[in-house]
């Protein structure tokens, strides 16, 4: 069933608010999510019958949002360090989604979510391997190790913004600086 444009906006507002609230507090109430979305709790329940339905929808939407942001960062176009810079910026841009995905890693992901998560990881590993072949990245380190470092440093940077350690607008630079020092060819 296709939602009307108004219902699509309301659903998007609920998902965006849920991502932001859940990223900060995995035990957040549906009432607080509703308030953050600017709707009543009953409206949240019309779109998502219970907390588990909302979490499942948000997980799928977050993976899709992250994947789209990374694809928009144009993997394969240009020097690998520049691509990784763009990927980091894309991940920071959808930071609440990244934090939510880290916070909700438990449970059994759907096949579709696993497929999208694997596609995100594959995009990163492909770029890293390209950079290793070109001599831009340290080829003595497994590509999957570097891929995990990207995830970890992005998570750490996003978490640091939530703690007030780093401003959100400056965290991209700090993440990129840290990554370049760790993964650049020696």
């Amino acid at each position: 069933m296709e939602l009307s444009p108004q219902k699509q906006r309301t659903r998007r507002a609920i998902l965006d608010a849920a991502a932001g609230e859940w990223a900060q507090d995995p035990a957040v109430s549906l009432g607080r999510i509703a308030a953050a979305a600017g709707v009543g709790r009953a409206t949240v329940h019309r779109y998502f019958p219970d907390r588990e339905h909302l979490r499942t929808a948000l997980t799928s939407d977050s993976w899709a949002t992250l994947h789209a942001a990374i694809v928009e960062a144009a993997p394969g176009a240009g020097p690998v360090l520049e691509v990784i810079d763009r990927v980091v910026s894309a991940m920071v841009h959808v930071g609440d989604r990244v934090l939510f995905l880290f916070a909700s890693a438990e449970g059994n992901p759907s096949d579709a979510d696993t497929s999208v998560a694997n596609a995100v990881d594959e995009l990163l590993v492909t770029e890293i391997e390209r950079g290793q072949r070109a001599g831009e990245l340290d080829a003595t380190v497994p590509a999957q190790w570097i891929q995990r470092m990207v995830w970890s440093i992005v998570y750490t940077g996003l978490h640091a913004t939530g703690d007030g350690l780093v401003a959100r607008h400056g965290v991209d630079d700090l993440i990129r600086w840290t990554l370049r020092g760790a993964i650049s060819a020696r």
Side-chain angles (χ1 to χ4, degrees):
M1 176 171 72
E2 185 70 27
L3 295 176
S4 70
Q6 173 61 37
K7 287 184 178 183
Q8 288 176 12
R9 284 190 298 276
T10 301
R11 184 176 192 280
R12 170 70 33 220
I14 294 168
L15 289 171
D16 289 345
E21 294 297 322
W22 246 319
Q24 301 306 314
D25 178 9
V28 66
S29 70
L30 291 180
R32 199 162 100 204
I33 291 170
V39 299
R41 188 179 168 121
T43 300
V44 172
H45 283 290
R46 276 197 297 279
Y47 287 84
F48 307 100
D50 57 34
R51 183 179 188 81
E52 188 57 29
H53 280 88
L54 177 56
R55 190 192 69 75
T56 299
L58 182 56
T59 299
S60 295
D61 189 70
S62 293
W63 278 117
T65 299
L66 178 60
H67 182 261
I70 289 174
V71 167
E72 191 174 305
V80 170
L81 287 172
E82 290 177 16
V83 171
I84 291 175
D85 286 351
R86 292 193 306 267
V87 167
V88 164
S89 291
M91 293 172 91
V92 169
H93 181 71
V94 296
D96 286 343
R97 301 310 178 111
V98 172
L99 289 172
F100 166 76
L101 290 169
F102 268 92
S104 68
E106 78 284 341
N108 298 318
S110 71
D111 290 341
D113 292 340
T114 300
S115 176
V116 176
N118 289 339
V120 166
D121 285 340
E122 187 177 314
L123 285 168
L124 288 170
V125 169
T126 298
E127 283 304 302
I128 293 162
E129 289 172 342
R130 182 170 74 91
Q132 289 174 322
R133 285 190 305 274
E136 290 182 68
L137 302 180
D138 189 341
T140 65
V141 179
Q144 289 79 9
W145 177 267
I146 295 173
Q147 173 252 343
R148 289 179 182 193
M149 284 181 55
V150 171
W151 277 108
S152 297
I153 293 172
V154 168
Y155 171 79
T156 299
L158 291 169
H159 208 278
T161 65
D163 292 343
L165 181 64
V166 180
R168 184 75 173 245
H169 68 273
V171 76
D172 290 42
D173 291 335
L174 186 55
I175 292 169
R176 286 192 293 267
W177 176 82
T178 304
L179 273 173
R180 282 178 180 248
I183 67 176
S184 293
R186 309 225 184 272

